[in-house]
Amino acid sequence: KESGKASWVRFEPRMRQDMVHHARLASELHNAIIRGELRLLYQPVFDLVTGRVAGAEALVRWQHPTRGFVSPADFIPVAERSGLIVPLGAWVLREACAQLSRWRAEFGPDAIESVNVNVAVRQLRETGFVDEVAAVLSDHGLTSRNVILEVTESSVVDGWQVRDTLEALHEMGVHLALDDFGTGQSSLSLLRQFPVDVLKLDKSFVDGIASGADRGRLAVAAAVAQLAEHLQLKAVAEGIENEEQLDRLREMGYRYGQGYFMAKPLPAAECGALMSGAGRSFAA
Ligand code: C2E
Ligand code: MG
Ligand code: MG
Ligand code: MG
């Protein structure tokens, strides 16, 4: 079905295995949500100029009782196809907002201002998504300034319904980040059509930055930084793994960055510890 309506694909035994695997994973995921096997880690977003923590991205983790750790790269696509992403995403949004309000209670003005939450296209298509966001924010004593929704380029080209939803969120004051920026089909025209506030340069471009290893990717990374500056958007570089990448990105004009070089996704308490006093910055 995925290859389009009017084509036939030979049904290989491997595909049957995949289908069975997906069906089983989907039903286990359903139980996981109910049983509370999901949790969130938070990857700090750093201000590359001051070295301070400027935000945090919520990343879901699934500790399966027998399979062990299941990567979101494996179960998020399954959740999207089965529709489970809707309750899963609702849980993520609620939990991330609850955590931000706990950090605010604990660290006061030192706490980050907003938390980043990944949102799948399926959620954006759900009627009532905008109301849900508003309700979750108010339930936790937060405002629209306190959450940044991360959407991918491919999800926003989905049609008028998604477009209306994004516009309504923008009207409400919720900031939108284009995730994995540069990997999609129509990056540039999208920026004029959608109310985007943040560009997150995809890790693949950051990977190509090391001493002229890949001039094409280097050029894209530099161009995205300039684009962000001209359009007055925040530029965030994803997946920074070494000091050389960090330095080059800073030179290019990236004000914000995430990556293992500064911090991996962390349990809430460890991420919070970076917000308080002296612990707040990485060795810039
Ligand atoms: P993403 O939103 O682009 O998140 C960035 C991914 O890169 C995360 O993987 C993060 O752990 C990883 N990463 C960050 N810094 C580095 C680095 O320096 N090196 C390397 N190698 N990786 C780095 P993760 O947590 O496995 O998530 C993968 C993807 O799954 C996310 O990509 C996002 O698309 C999706 N995802 C995760 N949590 C959620 C969620 O709650 N809802 C939705 N809809 N999608 C989610
Ligand atoms: Mg993201
Ligand atoms: Mg990304
Ligand atoms: Mg990604």
Side-chain angles (χ1 to χ4, degrees):
K1 203 173 178 188
E2 270 172 20
S3 58
K5 233 179 185 172
S7 71
W8 289 88
V9 176
R10 208 152 68 94
F11 196 85
E12 310 275 0
R14 232 205 90 236
M15 293 169 67
R16 168 175 288 280
Q17 274 174 24
D18 279 359
M19 282 175 60
V20 170
H21 178 70
H22 279 168
R24 190 176 298 151
L25 210 56
S27 94
E28 289 180 10
L29 190 52
H30 182 78
N31 290 329
I33 297 169
I34 297 166
R35 291 195 203 126
E37 289 165 16
L38 300 178
R39 67 178 192 134
L40 295 182
L41 294 183
Y42 297 87
Q43 186 176 35
V45 179
F46 289 91
D47 181 323
L48 301 184
V49 174
T50 64
R52 290 166 69 87
V53 178
E57 177 178 4
L59 293 160
V60 69
R61 295 292 180 261
W62 180 12
Q63 191 63 40
H64 188 281
T66 55
R67 289 176 200 270
F69 174 75
V70 188
S71 166
D74 293 328
F75 70 83
I76 291 290
V78 172
E80 293 199 37
R81 252 171 286 163
S82 62
L84 280 171
I85 193 71
V86 173
L88 190 158
W91 177 82
V92 170
L93 178 67
R94 196 161 276 282
E95 179 56 28
C97 287
Q99 185 56 55
L100 180 61
S101 73
R102 289 191 284 267
W103 281 330
R104 283 156 65 102
E106 191 172 353
F107 302 111
D110 282 343
I112 54 172
E113 198 195 4
S114 54
V115 65
N116 288 37
V117 175
N118 292 287
V119 172
V121 62
R122 189 89 176 232
Q123 293 174 269
L124 298 173
R125 268 196 244 128
E126 215 51 25
T127 39
F129 181 70
V130 178
D131 293 338
E132 179 192 325
V133 172
V136 170
L137 288 171
S138 98
D139 287 352
H140 294 95
L142 302 176
T143 73
S144 55
R145 283 280 157 261
N146 301 130
V147 69
I148 297 173
L149 300 180
E150 298 196 0
V151 297
T152 59
E153 291 168 78
S154 48
S155 71
V156 302
V157 292
D158 194 62
W160 61 268
Q161 205 182 354
V162 165
R163 187 208 178 86
D164 285 356
T165 298
L166 295 177
E167 231 127 61
L169 288 165
H170 179 74
E171 301 264 289
M172 237 170 82
V174 172
H175 280 184
L176 298 174
L178 271 188
D179 205 349
D180 305 341
F181 190 73
T183 57
Q185 305 278 310
S186 49
S187 312
L188 297 182
S189 61
L190 277 181
L191 294 180
R192 305 195 48 199
Q193 293 168 38
F194 291 94
V196 175
D197 305 281
V198 181
L199 297 183
K200 296 192 77 174
L201 179 73
D202 190 69
K203 182 184 188 311
S204 58
F205 300 103
V206 173
D207 288 341
I209 275 174
S211 50
D214 184 339
R215 302 191 69 190
R217 287 177 191 277
L218 192 80
V220 173
V224 169
Q226 295 212 343
L227 188 65
E229 196 192 321
H230 290 308
L231 297 174
Q232 292 179 290
L233 308 175
K234 279 189 182 176
V236 184
E238 291 193 294
I240 302 171
E241 290 183 342
N242 59 55
E243 191 158 19
E244 185 182 0
Q245 291 169 345
L246 174 65
D247 291 341
R248 301 295 290 269
L249 289 161
R250 233 187 327 225
E251 283 161 21
M252 284 177 194
Y254 284 89
R255 178 73 195 260
Y256 301 96
Q258 279 174 275
Y260 293 175
F261 180 66
M262 292 89 84
K264 290 196 172 182
L266 303 168
E270 286 174 45
C271 187
L274 293 174
M275 293 171 206
S276 60
R280 188 163 167 156
S281 45
F282 71 100

